[in-house]
Amino acid sequence: MQIETKLPKVGTTIFTVMSQLAATHGAVNLGQGFPDFDGPQELRDALTRAMAEGRNQYAPMTGWPTLRQQIALKTQALYGRKVDADTEVTVTSGATEALFAAVAAVVRTGDEVIVLDPCYDSYEPAIELNGGVAVHVPLDARDFSVDWQRVRDAVTPRTRMIIVNTPHNPCGSVFSAGDLDALAALTRDTGIFVLSDEVYEHIVFDGAPHQSVLRHEELAARSFVVSSFGKTFHCTGWKIGYCVAPRALSDEFRKVHQYLTFCTFTPAQIALAEVLEKLPQHYLELPAFYQARREFFRGLLEGSRFRLLPVAGAYFQVVDYSAISDKDDLGFCEWLVKSAGVAAIPLSSFYESPPADQRLIRFCFAKSDDVLRAGAERLRGL
Ligand code: PMP
Ligand code: GLN
């Protein structure tokens, strides 16, 4: 039997493709975004303990209560917003599930959802599977900031949602307070929901605050805010994320969540709750931790023929390789992994239509010193 595909534009994700090529060719994998080091020992101990103590059955559908409370406390402490742990916080199987559930909760057939290119690859399939249409608006090509006038021009009576992402994957740009005001002005007196992907909320550099939409009264009232413990606690394989949204939005979100997964891995929720309470310094020190990785990797690439773009947040370094090759970015990444032994991600995979002459690729610097050194040595030779 044949299935008439619902996702004709989708193949295997570039992250999987590049990780497989890296393994096949024995390359240094600076492609797929995941740390090659573990999170706090306390976290792993807490997980083991939870399992040993027999906490191995379903968690409550909305998430383990103490974890929801810790998320609410962190939200208030960091962003000044008091949210109700029982009705406004939902624990999910990774941010990916939360993004899907938020889209599914509001998007109806024919609705338009504005996404800002380049954007994370799960947004558009989530929109399309729910009958919506992704309307792609490019970020400003000079610095990957949002051109709010272009966003405004893309709004129509069918616009149901805008998806934003700060700190930004792949570009490393971050929102300013002015961006929040612009987004609030744009959505004011409309029925447009905001889906704010803030999975890198704790990875913002140079002393800047993370401009969560939760800081903004007006935006918080219409937003689903999504985050991921995978990024914050170096455990992407645990797939625990969450969504904070006002009660009416969370109610609908939960209707979807309860039939997507019902709940997620109980011992990890218990462990994360414990560590959020006892070890807040882990996430408070994360900006400094990753800023040091950023400086180290950028230093290693000094003297190479790559041009390094600024990185204000997240754990990706975008580089321009036009001094090295005039191949397109996918072709260059294929060559790089096979011939130079380094895996990277082409930026074009984050676009509906990438700028024709753009020569940009992304490296992940959430890697140990030796791995970054080995990768950079190969890159300096080009
Ligand atoms: N959004 C962005 C911007 C991401 O980079 C990622 C993962 N790298 C996700 C969502 C998905 O997060 P999770 O692994 O928790 O599903
Ligand atoms: N978000 C990660 C990245 O940008 C990859 C996650 C995945 O492989 N799905 O590299």
Side-chain angles (χ1 to χ4, degrees):
M1 286 187 67
Q2 291 285 316
I3 295 176
E4 189 192 333
T5 181
K6 295 172 82 173
L7 295 171
K9 288 185 256 176
V10 168
T12 304
T13 80
I14 189 70
F15 309 115
T16 301
V17 169
M18 282 299 160
S19 279
Q20 280 171 351
L21 280 175
T24 306
H25 295 277
V28 178
N29 190 356
L30 305 183
Q32 192 177 24
F34 63 90
D36 69 353
F37 37 80
D38 276 328
Q41 183 66 43
E42 291 88 334
L43 178 62
R44 280 168 290 136
D45 289 347
L47 178 81
T48 315
R49 208 166 40 245
M51 288 191 290
E53 286 170 359
R55 316 266 197 105
N56 297 306
Q57 307 310 325
Y58 294 129
M61 180 273 279
T62 57
W64 198 261
T66 52
L67 180 56
R68 283 188 279 102
Q69 279 154 16
Q70 288 302 320
I71 293 167
L73 288 171
K74 178 167 85 73
T75 301
Q76 182 161 18
L78 296 181
Y79 309 130
R81 181 140 321 276
K82 195 164 166 29
V83 294
D84 186 316
D86 289 332
T87 58
E88 300 183 314
V89 179
T90 310
V91 180
T92 59
S93 294
T96 309
E97 193 226 331
L99 292 166
F100 191 95
V103 170
V106 302
V107 172
R108 293 177 162 72
T109 306
D111 281 351
E112 293 174 2
V113 179
I114 294 177
V115 298
L116 307 172
D117 278 7
C119 69
Y120 189 59
D121 68 342
S122 81
Y123 303 163
E124 181 158 11
I127 295 162
E128 290 189 340
L129 286 173
N130 287 291
V133 180
V135 175
H136 294 261
V137 175
L139 293 176
D140 188 317
R142 289 163 301 182
D143 59 1
F144 299 113
S145 61
V146 182
D147 181 340
W148 290 107
Q149 188 52 49
R150 286 191 81 155
V151 179
R152 191 178 288 278
D153 293 344
V155 171
T156 76
R158 305 188 81 125
T159 307
R160 186 90 172 142
M161 181 179 251
I162 298 180
I163 305 183
V164 295
N165 171 216
T166 183
H168 190 265
N169 178 9
C171 299
S173 47
V174 298
F175 270 18
S176 65
D179 286 312
L180 297 182
D181 289 338
L183 181 57
L186 194 145
T187 49
R188 192 167 298 140
D189 302 324
T190 72
I192 301 174
F193 295 94
V194 172
L195 173 51
S196 187
D197 179 346
E198 303 185 10
V199 299
Y200 301 101
E201 64 177 316
H202 297 296
I203 314 180
V204 181
F205 304 135
D206 306 312
H210 168 55
Q211 295 294 355
S212 172
V213 301
L214 288 163
R215 289 181 188 274
H216 199 288
E217 180 87 43
E218 210 182 330
L219 282 176
R222 62 171 74 240
S223 296
F224 298 87
V225 181
V226 168
S227 191
S228 170
F229 290 114
K231 315 294 168 185
T232 303
F233 285 99
H234 314 318
C235 57
T236 59
W238 290 15
K239 295 297 290 188
I240 312 283
Y242 60 92
C243 174
V244 176
R247 182 171 191 159
L249 278 62
S250 286
D251 282 350
E252 289 305 312
F253 179 95
R254 289 170 171 189
K255 288 185 192 173
V256 180
H257 162 75
Q258 72 178 344
Y259 294 122
L260 264 182
T261 59
F262 184 71
C263 62
T264 193
F265 185 44
T266 303
Q269 295 193 55
I270 294 168
L272 284 161
E274 237 179 88
V275 169
L276 280 173
E277 185 183 2
K278 294 192 188 135
L279 211 64
Q281 62 270 33
H282 173 81
Y283 61 79
L284 296 174
E285 288 165 6
L286 211 56
F289 173 82
Y290 272 120
Q291 187 164 326
R293 304 271 85 214
R294 177 190 72 169
E295 297 312 310
F296 182 63
F297 186 55
R298 288 174 71 92
L300 290 170
L301 287 183
E302 249 170 50
S304 78
R305 291 201 290 160
F306 290 101
R307 184 168 65 81
L308 276 55
L309 274 57
V311 185
Y315 50 46
F316 303 109
Q317 173 66 59
V318 174
V319 301
D320 185 316
Y321 61 88
S322 46
I324 298 171
S325 169
D326 54 14
K327 284 189 201 313
D328 66 30
D329 62 358
L330 180 58
F332 183 70
C333 283
E334 284 168 352
W335 174 82
L336 196 66
V337 70
K338 291 177 188 164
S339 304
V342 180
I345 302 291
L347 242 66
S348 59
S349 44
F350 296 83
Y351 287 86
E352 181 185 48
S353 36
D357 50 356
Q358 185 168 282
R359 301 273 179 270
L360 298 178
I361 59 173
R362 185 197 87 177
F363 295 119
C364 173
F365 58 77
K367 307 291 170 188
S368 50
D369 286 4
D370 287 351
V371 169
L372 292 178
R373 262 195 219 102
E377 194 179 319
R378 294 173 186 194
L379 296 172
R380 275 200 310 273
L382 302 175

